[in-house]
């Protein structure tokens, strides 16, 4: 349902001697990091289903709904590589515990937010803490488990990814509809607190400490410049409906471009001084990597925005409940689980073909869904489920292997840095997609109505998004034609 997170740890230096664990301690340690990963994976999708309920309760506008999702994704992407390097330098257990504690606190602050602006700010903070926590998961597993047990641990992580894809929309719908203790949508954030407390208590006792032997300095300036530049670009796009396209909007776009130009110049200078930049511009000279960045932006740019607009259409446009919406989205997750194992198994032999097939399958699913909703009446469950199931099949073929197919064309010495950047770009692509396609959707809703938007207006708006999204995935498939034929069999990021 979201960009794959198996490569989120960023650049890795050589590890100091690990403190391997086994038996009950190993099981508990694995349970701790898997629960934490589960919370992050679920949090990326659960808010999408709850978004209409949040908007009704807080009186949030369309742009604010977009920011509630994009702020988390953008902040997470901004923090991934830096978070990984912090763990390498200061200890992965220490940073994992700090990130987990921060995730718990910011989840509680999201739950008690009383204004849309506060919730957006806390979602950004929550994303930053996840950016500290998530990269440590792989470092902890790699440094803590013997090679024979490591494969099982990573296999368990893959299972958690599949479970989270299913649980996210269902749990979001269930918690909103259950209205536990009269808290409504706020329970989607409160649920993180007891899980985090339990993980902190157990983790303090069983997680071993590990760090890299590398002493590279952190590129905090580069991370800040990149995040600021992207934020300046997204701000006028998401706020279009509220602000319109004014001189200030164009000024913000220009400022974003200037900031990103400064970022590239700074990173080039840092690399020239033999530092370790967040993004080494020299990577763009590697053809597979440059093409891979474009493919990742196109592919992941359509996923988060699709589920946001679909959720709003189903709940506001057709009157479905949050639980009903979760059930409609469920076949997408099930489809991705069915094909993800196949995609990973065949990636070393037919990686590029799988990527192209997956992207075109998603495009086909968008067109099937378009035909379903254009009937003029409220589409039934099974027609919607069929279209979404097809899309899930495509996602499962492509999403888990995209990074490793790209890295197959990157020299081994650059693989770690390139993998970290690609995983970060996947998150940023999701935020950009929410900004652009979300804005198109909400502008179409209000632009096609002379009064209060009705079902036809939401159907019209989703139709536009589906057409644009289908084109997006066809273009992504064309770009993927230039990627390496097979995936890297092993990339130690």
């Amino acid at each position: 349902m979201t960009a794959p997170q198996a490569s989120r740890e960023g650049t890795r230096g050589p590890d100091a001697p690990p403190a391997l664990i086994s038996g009950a301690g190993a099981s508990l340690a694995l349970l701790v990091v898997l629960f934490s990963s589960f919370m992050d994976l679920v949090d990326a999708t659960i808010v999408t289903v709850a978004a209409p309920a949040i908007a009704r309760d807080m009186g949030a506008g369309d742009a604010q709904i977009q920011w509630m999702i994009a702020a988390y994704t953008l902040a997470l992407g901004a923090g991934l590589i830096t978070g990984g390097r912090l763990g390498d330098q200061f200890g992965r257990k220490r940073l994992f515990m700090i990130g987990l504690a921060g995730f718990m606190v910011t989840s509680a602050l999201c739950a008690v937010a009383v204004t849309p602006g506060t919730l957006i700010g806390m979602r950004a903070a929550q994303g930053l803490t996840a950016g500290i926590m998530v990269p440590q998961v792989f470092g902890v597993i790699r440094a803590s488990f013997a090679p024979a047990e490591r494969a099982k641990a990573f296999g368990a992580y893959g299972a958690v990814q599949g479970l989270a894809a299913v649980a996210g929309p269902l749990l979001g719908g269930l918690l909103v509809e259950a209205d536990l203790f009269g808290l409504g949508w706020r329970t989607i954030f409160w649920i993180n607190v007891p899980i985090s407390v339990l993980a902190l208590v157990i983790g303090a006792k069983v997680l071993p400490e590990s760090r890299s032997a590398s002493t590279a300095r952190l590129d905090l300036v580069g991370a800040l410049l990149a995040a600021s530049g992207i934020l300046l670009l997204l701000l006028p796009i998401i706020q279009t409906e509220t602000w319109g396209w004014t001189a200030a909007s164009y000024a913000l776009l220009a400022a974003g471009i200037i900031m990103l130009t400064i970022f590239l110049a700074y990173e080039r200078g840092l690399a020239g001084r033999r530092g370790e930049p967040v993004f080494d511009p020299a990577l763009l000279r590697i053809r597979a990597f440059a093409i891979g960045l474009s493919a990742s932006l196109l592919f992941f740019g359509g996923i988060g925005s699709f589920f946001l607009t679909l959720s709003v259409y189903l709940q506001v446009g057709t009157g479905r409940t949050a639980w009903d919406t979760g059930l409609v989205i469920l076949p997408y997750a099930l489809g991705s689980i069915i094909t993800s194992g196949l995609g990973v198994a065949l990636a070393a032999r037919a990686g590029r073909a799988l990527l192209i097939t997956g992207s075109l399958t998603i495009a086909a699913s968008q067109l099937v869904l378009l035909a379903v909703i254009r009937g003029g009446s409220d589409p039934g469950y099974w027609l919607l489920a069929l279209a979404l199931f097809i899309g899930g099949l495509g996602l499962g073929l492509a999403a888990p292997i995209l990074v490793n197919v790209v890295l197959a064309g990157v020299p081994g010495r650059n693989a770690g840095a390139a993998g970290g950047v690609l995983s970060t770009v996947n998150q940023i692509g999701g935020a950009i997609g929410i900004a652009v396609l979300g804005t198109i959707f909400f502008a179409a809703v209000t632009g096609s109505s002379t009064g209060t938007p009705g079902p036809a207006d939401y159907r019209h708006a989703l139709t536009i998004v589906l057409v644009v999204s289908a084109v997006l995935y066809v273009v992504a498939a064309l770009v993927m034609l230039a990627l390496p034929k097979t995936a890297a069999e092993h990339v130690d990021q």
Side-chain angles (χ1 to χ4, degrees):
M1 304 284 287
T2 60
Q5 303 176 21
S7 303
R8 281 186 172 184
E9 59 176 316
T11 305
R12 293 266 160 245
D15 280 341
L20 300 180
I21 53 178
S22 60
S27 298
L28 286 173
L30 182 60
L31 191 64
V32 168
V33 295
L34 291 184
F35 261 121
S36 304
S37 299
F38 181 82
M39 286 191 297
D40 166 57
L41 289 159
V42 166
D43 234 65
T45 56
I46 197 171
V47 176
T48 300
V49 174
I54 296 173
R56 288 193 302 269
D57 184 51
M58 303 188 86
D62 297 337
Q64 291 169 319
I65 294 176
Q66 291 170 265
W67 278 119
M68 287 172 194
I69 301 170
Y72 179 88
T73 304
L74 180 59
L76 172 61
L80 285 176
I81 296 178
T82 300
R85 289 180 179 169
L86 282 169
D88 287 344
Q89 187 168 348
F90 297 107
R92 293 166 187 138
K93 174 183 177 179
R94 178 182 300 174
L95 267 295
F96 176 82
M97 299 292 281
I98 291 172
L100 178 57
F103 190 83
M104 176 185 68
V105 172
T106 52
S107 293
L109 292 174
C110 286
V112 299
V114 294
T115 65
T118 303
L119 180 55
I120 291 167
M122 289 305 99
R123 282 285 286 168
Q126 190 185 32
L128 284 174
T129 61
I132 295 172
M133 174 181 69
V134 171
Q136 316 313 324
V137 171
F138 293 90
V140 167
I141 292 175
R142 184 170 289 124
S144 303
F145 291 85
E149 300 297 323
R150 199 175 298 157
K152 296 179 182 178
F154 282 124
Y157 176 81
V160 166
Q161 277 193 309
L163 179 61
V166 174
L170 288 181
L171 188 59
L174 177 63
L175 291 174
V176 170
E177 292 304 310
D179 194 21
L180 299 174
F181 309 109
L183 294 172
W185 59 266
R186 298 179 188 274
T187 53
I188 70 173
F189 297 114
W190 279 124
I191 196 172
N192 291 334
V193 175
I195 296 175
S196 297
V197 170
L198 183 62
L200 285 168
V201 171
I202 299 174
K205 295 181 179 180
V206 302
L207 287 178
E209 186 58 279
S210 66
R211 55 174 51 86
S212 172
S214 172
T215 57
R217 295 181 61 182
L218 299 173
D219 182 17
L220 294 177
V221 173
L224 182 61
L225 286 172
S228 299
I230 294 168
L231 180 62
L232 287 170
L233 289 177
L234 295 185
L235 189 59
I237 296 173
I238 292 181
Q239 296 296 138
T240 296
E241 187 179 352
T242 305
W243 296 351
W245 281 103
T246 64
S249 300
Y250 290 109
L252 285 171
L253 284 176
I257 294 171
I258 292 171
M259 187 71 74
L260 291 176
T261 303
I262 294 172
F263 163 70
L264 290 174
Y266 177 83
E267 297 295 275
R268 187 176 293 110
L270 182 60
R273 297 191 299 272
R274 297 186 180 279
E276 288 199 19
V278 167
F279 172 67
D280 186 351
L283 289 171
L284 293 176
R285 294 198 291 268
I286 303 172
R287 181 172 178 269
F289 180 76
I291 293 171
L293 282 182
S294 301
S296 292
L297 281 172
L298 290 167
F299 188 87
F300 292 109
I303 295 175
S305 55
F306 169 67
F307 286 108
L308 171 61
T309 55
L310 178 65
S311 179
V312 173
Y313 162 75
L314 290 173
Q315 293 184 57
V316 183
T318 71
R320 284 176 168 82
T321 65
W323 171 247
D324 291 335
T325 298
L327 289 175
V328 169
I329 295 175
L330 177 61
Y332 203 103
L334 295 176
S336 68
I337 292 172
I338 290 172
T339 54
S340 59
L342 177 65
V344 172
L346 298 178
R349 287 182 288 171
R352 183 173 67 191
L354 290 171
L355 291 180
I356 295 170
T357 301
S359 194
L360 291 177
T361 301
I362 296 176
S365 76
Q366 307 290 66
L367 296 179
V368 172
L369 183 58
L370 177 65
V372 168
I373 69 170
R374 283 182 65 84
S377 59
D378 183 3
Y381 175 82
W382 292 109
L383 288 175
L384 291 169
L386 172 63
L388 291 172
F389 181 72
I390 294 171
L393 293 175
L395 183 70
L397 286 176
I401 65 170
L402 177 54
V403 170
N404 277 359
V405 172
V406 174
L407 293 184
V410 176
R413 65 182 182 278
N414 301 119
V421 171
L422 275 168
S423 298
T424 299
V425 165
N426 293 346
Q427 301 299 321
I428 293 172
I432 294 173
I434 290 169
V436 176
L437 291 179
T439 298
I440 290 173
F441 175 82
F442 289 116
V445 168
T446 55
S448 63
S449 176
T450 56
T452 302
D457 301 306
Y458 285 95
R459 183 169 60 250
H460 169 71
L462 185 61
T463 296
I464 295 174
V465 169
L466 291 174
V467 171
V468 173
S469 183
V471 172
L472 193 72
Y473 282 106
V474 170
V475 173
L478 293 175
V479 172
M480 289 169 180
L481 286 169
L483 290 175
K485 290 183 178 180
T486 60
E489 293 188 10
H490 174 70
V491 177
D492 188 10
Q493 291 165 268

